[in-house]
Amino acid sequence: MEKHRIYSVSVASVYPHYVAKAEKKGRTKAEVDEIICWLTGYGPQALDDQLAKSTSLENFFAQAPRMNPSRSLITGVICGVRVEEIQDTTMREIRYLDKLIDELAKGKAMDKILRK
């Protein structure tokens, strides 16, 4: 089966959209970074490095230092699909991030977003 084209998209190309979506709703770039770091285990500098290298989404998640085990608590619908039912692990990781950014933009508290 051919890989979805989103896998080859760079993190650096979607990141500004995540930030813009959050800022449009009164949230901050720092909160977006916190969510990404929580999900993937990247530190702030490592995240900046991945953005500077224009790492593909597929490699960004494949190389993540430590995917947060609590990410399995992320449920709901994104792009018309239930994230917990997505079989392809890379696509599920991408959609987890999309879902977290959506929750941020909807005004959800960071403690709830980060499943604390």
Side-chain angles (χ1 to χ4, degrees), residues 51-79:
L51 294 171
K53 289 192 282 188
S54 292
T55 304
S56 71
L57 282 168
E58 181 177 30
N59 289 332
F60 180 75
F61 286 105
Q63 298 166 5
R66 181 179 175 272
M67 294 300 294
N68 194 306
S70 296
R71 73 190 186 286
S72 63
L73 300 174
I74 301 167
T75 59
V77 178
I78 190 83
C79 299

Side-chain angles (χ1 to χ4, degrees), residues 16-86:
H17 298 286
Y18 290 147
V19 173
K21 184 174 190 170
E23 289 178 342
K24 190 166 86 172
K25 299 293 185 166
R27 303 307 285 260
T28 66
K29 176 185 175 294
E31 289 173 309
V32 171
D33 290 353
E34 183 179 353
I35 287 169
I36 295 171
C37 292
W38 174 87
L39 180 65
T40 62
Y42 287 108
Q45 185 58 52
L47 174 58
D48 289 343
D49 292 345
Q50 293 295 320
L51 294 171
K53 289 192 282 188
S54 292
T55 304
S56 71
L57 282 168
E58 181 177 30
N59 289 332
F60 180 75
F61 286 105
Q63 298 166 5
R66 181 179 175 272
M67 294 300 294
N68 194 306
S70 296
R71 73 190 186 286
S72 63
L73 300 174
I74 301 167
T75 59
V77 178
I78 190 83
C79 299
V81 178
R82 295 208 67 80
V83 292
E84 62 271 24
E85 294 175 1
I86 298 172

Side-chain angles (χ1 to χ4, degrees), residues 90-102:
T90 303
M91 183 62 77
R92 188 171 51 242
E93 304 301 352
I94 293 168
R95 296 304 181 201
Y96 279 155
L97 180 55
D98 291 344
K99 183 69 178 165
L100 294 174
I101 299 300
D102 276 1

